[in-house]
Amino acid sequence: APLSVILIGSESLTIEAGRQMRARGCDLHAVVTHSADVRKWAAGEGLDVLGFGTGLAARLGDPVDWIFSVANLELLSADLLALGSKGAVNFHDGPLPRYAGVNAPVWALLNGEVQHGITWHMIEGGVDEGRIIAQEMFDIRASDTAFTLNTRCFEAGVQSFARVLDAVENDAPHAQVQNLGERSYFALAERPDGYGFVDHTHPRDEALRLVRALDHGPYWNPLCTA
């Protein structure tokens, strides 16, 4: 029987994951989103589309094999996660366990990392703590900004998703337990030192790194600007 899934998320990566699932013949039971674009895509595919809010698990109804949280910032309730009889999978825009939490590309740039990556992991235990199904790493370029690094995370997410579907079709037997001793967690309220003010005594490279890390291009900046 085809895999039955509930897809949850509100970005272009959500749609891309949905397209790959449809191409594989997955049974997309429902799509849950905040996004008008995702809603439009799902409606065009003839899929059930739901918004967040009270009683979501009850509104979704029947259990499915897997729940996929793809570019979704909402914490999913226990009764919702219980609808995934085999489990739930989340996309994370950073390498776990070192960049758990939010705004991982920004923190990686601020910390002067030379590599970044994305992680597909099970939703189990604490936030971003579940077993890793797939991870895709790439080098950070000297010119990368938060905007370009986010774009590259999207591309890595698209490219690696087939591996994720391969894994869950076999119940993800090779999922790797994270070494939580290496874990760093970046909270929603965290901000760079000095709230992004460039200190004139800083070395030039450090000042430029701050500017690039907080440059979200045409997109909303969730932190602050340099």
Side-chain angles (χ1 to χ4, degrees):
L3 275 188
S4 57
V5 293
I6 293 168
L7 175 60
I8 302 174
S10 299
E11 302 281 347
S12 49
L13 185 60
T14 317
I15 297 173
E16 191 54 48
R19 285 189 180 128
Q20 290 193 34
M21 288 172 176
R22 296 282 280 176
R24 285 238 183 174
C26 295
D27 168 21
L28 221 51
H29 175 70
V31 178
V32 182
T33 190
H34 287 300
S35 156
D37 288 344
V38 175
R39 184 175 284 277
K40 185 177 167 188
W41 167 78
E45 293 283 313
L47 301 170
D48 284 345
V49 192
L50 289 80
F52 289 91
T54 51
L56 177 56
R59 285 185 281 133
L60 282 163
D62 299 327
V64 293
D65 295 324
W66 290 92
I67 291 171
F68 275 85
S69 165
V70 183
N72 161 52
L73 292 177
E74 298 280 344
L75 285 178
L76 305 180
S77 62
D79 60 341
L80 176 52
L81 290 172
L83 293 176
S85 61
K86 293 184 175 181
V89 177
N90 182 57
F91 170 79
H92 182 69
D93 61 355
L96 293 176
R98 291 187 50 228
Y99 278 87
V102 292
N103 304 312
V106 175
W107 294 109
L109 288 170
L110 284 171
N111 292 337
E113 298 286 357
V114 294
Q115 273 204 322
H116 194 61
I118 59 94
T119 309
W120 295 93
H121 66 95
M122 310 277 261
I123 302 178
E124 55 194 4
V127 173
D128 298 337
E129 284 184 2
R131 284 168 292 160
I132 292 172
I133 296 173
Q135 197 163 60
E136 186 94 2
M137 299 295 292
F138 49 83
D139 292 339
I140 292 178
R141 302 178 187 128
S143 59
D144 269 325
T145 63
F147 171 59
T148 62
L149 206 52
N150 272 306
T151 304
R152 296 177 70 200
C153 285
F154 164 81
E155 289 165 358
V158 171
Q159 285 162 5
S160 55
F161 192 58
R163 280 168 37 215
V164 178
L165 290 176
D166 289 344
V168 300
E169 280 170 358
N170 297 304
D171 301 341
H174 304 299
Q176 293 281 318
V177 174
Q178 292 188 45
N179 176 0
L180 296 180
E182 295 177 1
R183 177 177 162 91
S184 302
Y185 182 83
F186 297 90
L188 193 60
E190 267 182 78
R191 294 294 178 269
D193 294 342
Y195 289 90
F197 278 99
V198 177
D199 184 330
H200 67 91
T201 63
H202 281 173
R204 172 179 174 275
D205 288 352
E206 207 172 304
L208 288 173
R209 193 164 76 203
L210 185 67
V211 170
R212 283 198 301 270
L214 295 170
D215 176 3
H216 286 77
Y219 288 92
W220 179 67
N221 180 339
L223 288 145
C224 54
T225 50

